[in-house]
């Protein structure tokens, strides 16, 4: 919070990592701080994050960190969809998730088997089960910017959803699925730190989270589909034959 918000609204120096992808000094500062704190307490655990090199120890426990998810809305002020994400995976399965969206004043937390919370209050996914009634997040992701288009096209057909939303941030929409504000979320080519913490939060909120081929979400896959279990089954059928990893 202190690192992100002390720079929020100020002109940020941008380092371009690719033609359509950049980072700010806040990304690096936040990443360094979080990794140092984790390694102080859990020196035997592995850590991967967006901005720094992987720290691999061979442990079954791996921390997955996004120091600033939503760099675009953070930098340009388009929405309040940006956050810090910290997840912990055991053998590739998320068992802890913490996501803090400081501009929204929302702290999402979950530990495997203990439920999901926003600012300490329990949260649950929506119980909506009809595809044509839903508001759905759809993200083009980072590694294949066109791979989501067949899904988006399908959702725009007459039996598709009410509306799709995109905010250049994965973590906050995923948290809104856990909280029941968004009915579902889909992305085709995200990176692990965009998803790991939110996977635990959504599952603990009663949701089902898989890759787009229907297999349970594990660290390493690029796609994600998250919503309540009944809607999830219907969406998989709705998108049948559209899957691309």
């Amino acid at each position: 919070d202190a690192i992100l918000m002390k720079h929020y609204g100020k002109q940020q120096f941008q380092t371009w990592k690719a033609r359509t992808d950049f980072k700010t000094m806040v990304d690096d500062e936040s990443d360094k701080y979080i990794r140092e704190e984790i390694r102080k307490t859990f020196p035997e655990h592995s850590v991967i994050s967006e901005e720094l090199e992987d720290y691999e120890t061979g442990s079954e426990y791996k921390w997955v960190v996004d120091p600033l998810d939503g760099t675009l809305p953070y930098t340009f002020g388009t929405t309040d969809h940006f956050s810090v994400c910290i997840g912990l995976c055991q053998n590739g399965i998320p068992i802890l998730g913490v996501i803090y969206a400081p501009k929204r004043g929302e702290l999402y937390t979950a530990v495997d088997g203990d439920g999901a919370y926003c600012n300490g209050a329990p949260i649950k996914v929506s119980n909506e089960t009809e595809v044509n009634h839903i508001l759905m997040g759809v993200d083009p992701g980072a590694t294949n910017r066109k791979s989501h288009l067949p899904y988006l096209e399908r959702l725009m057909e007459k039996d598709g959803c009410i509306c799709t939303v995109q905010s250049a941030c994965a973590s906050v929409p995923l948290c809104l699925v856990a909280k029941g504000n968004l009915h579902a979320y889909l992305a085709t080519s995200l990176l692990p730190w965009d998803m790991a913490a939110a996977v635990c939060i959504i599952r603990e909120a009663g949701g089902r989270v898989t890759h787009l081929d229907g297999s349970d979400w594990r660290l390493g896959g690029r796609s994600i589909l998250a919503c309540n279990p009944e809607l999830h089954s219907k969406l998989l059928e709705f998108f049948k034959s559209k899957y691309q990893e």
Side-chain angles (χ1 to χ4, degrees):
D1 180 20
I3 293 173
L4 265 61
M5 296 314 293
K6 77 177 179 180
H7 296 293
Y8 182 72
K10 299 177 182 178
Q11 186 71 30
Q12 298 290 316
F13 177 76
Q14 299 157 15
T15 301
W16 289 87
K17 299 185 287 184
R19 187 178 63 83
T20 58
D21 185 21
F22 68 88
K23 66 178 180 177
T24 69
M25 66 178 182
V26 179
D27 294 77
D28 286 337
E29 186 178 346
S30 177
D31 202 332
K32 182 180 178 182
Y33 173 79
I34 293 167
R35 287 172 63 124
E36 286 177 352
E37 292 300 308
I38 290 171
R39 290 179 63 179
K40 282 179 188 177
T41 308
F42 304 102
E44 71 280 12
H45 290 184
S46 298
V47 184
I48 63 171
S49 59
E50 183 171 13
E51 307 305 342
L52 300 177
E53 290 185 5
D54 294 352
Y55 174 70
E56 293 286 357
T57 66
S59 171
E60 65 181 311
Y61 294 101
K62 181 173 289 188
W63 294 87
V64 186
V65 177
D66 195 336
L68 173 54
D69 183 34
T71 300
L72 281 168
Y74 173 84
T75 303
F76 297 110
T78 51
T79 72
D80 56 10
H81 283 202
F82 59 87
S83 75
V84 178
C85 309
I86 303 173
L88 175 62
C89 294
Q90 181 179 18
N91 296 319
I93 300 172
I95 59 171
L96 176 150
V98 177
I99 295 175
Y100 183 50
K103 187 67 174 175
R104 299 174 63 86
E106 294 174 347
L107 175 64
Y108 294 87
T109 58
V111 175
D112 186 37
D114 193 41
Y117 303 86
C118 178
N119 295 339
I123 55 175
K124 290 292 183 184
V125 295
S126 165
N127 59 9
E128 179 58 64
T129 60
E130 298 302 322
V131 173
N132 62 331
H133 292 174
I134 65 172
L135 179 63
M136 186 165 187
V138 179
D139 200 308
T143 60
N144 186 341
R145 292 165 58 86
K146 292 183 178 181
S147 59
H148 73 301
L149 293 177
Y151 298 92
L152 190 59
E153 182 180 9
R154 179 73 180 96
L155 286 165
M156 294 298 101
E157 294 174 8
K158 64 180 181 180
D159 58 341
C161 67
I162 295 174
C163 185
T164 61
V165 295
Q166 179 185 329
S167 59
C169 171
S171 58
V172 174
L174 283 166
C175 285
L176 293 178
V177 171
K179 198 178 178 185
N181 297 103
L182 269 180
H183 301 110
Y185 180 87
L186 174 155
T188 51
S189 62
L190 295 179
L191 293 166
W193 39 79
D194 297 321
M195 301 179 279
V199 170
C200 182
I201 293 168
I202 294 170
R203 285 176 175 168
E204 288 299 307
R208 185 179 179 203
V209 189
T210 70
H211 300 298
L212 283 168
D213 63 355
S215 61
D216 286 341
W217 193 96
R218 293 179 62 92
L219 195 62
R222 294 296 179 89
S223 65
I224 189 168
L225 178 63
C227 52
N228 71 59
E230 185 174 345
L231 179 60
H232 190 283
S233 296
K234 290 183 178 181
L235 282 170
L236 282 180
E237 183 63 27
F238 183 78
F239 290 127
K240 199 170 183 179
S241 82
K242 299 289 186 184
Y243 172 69
Q244 301 173 46
E245 183 64 82

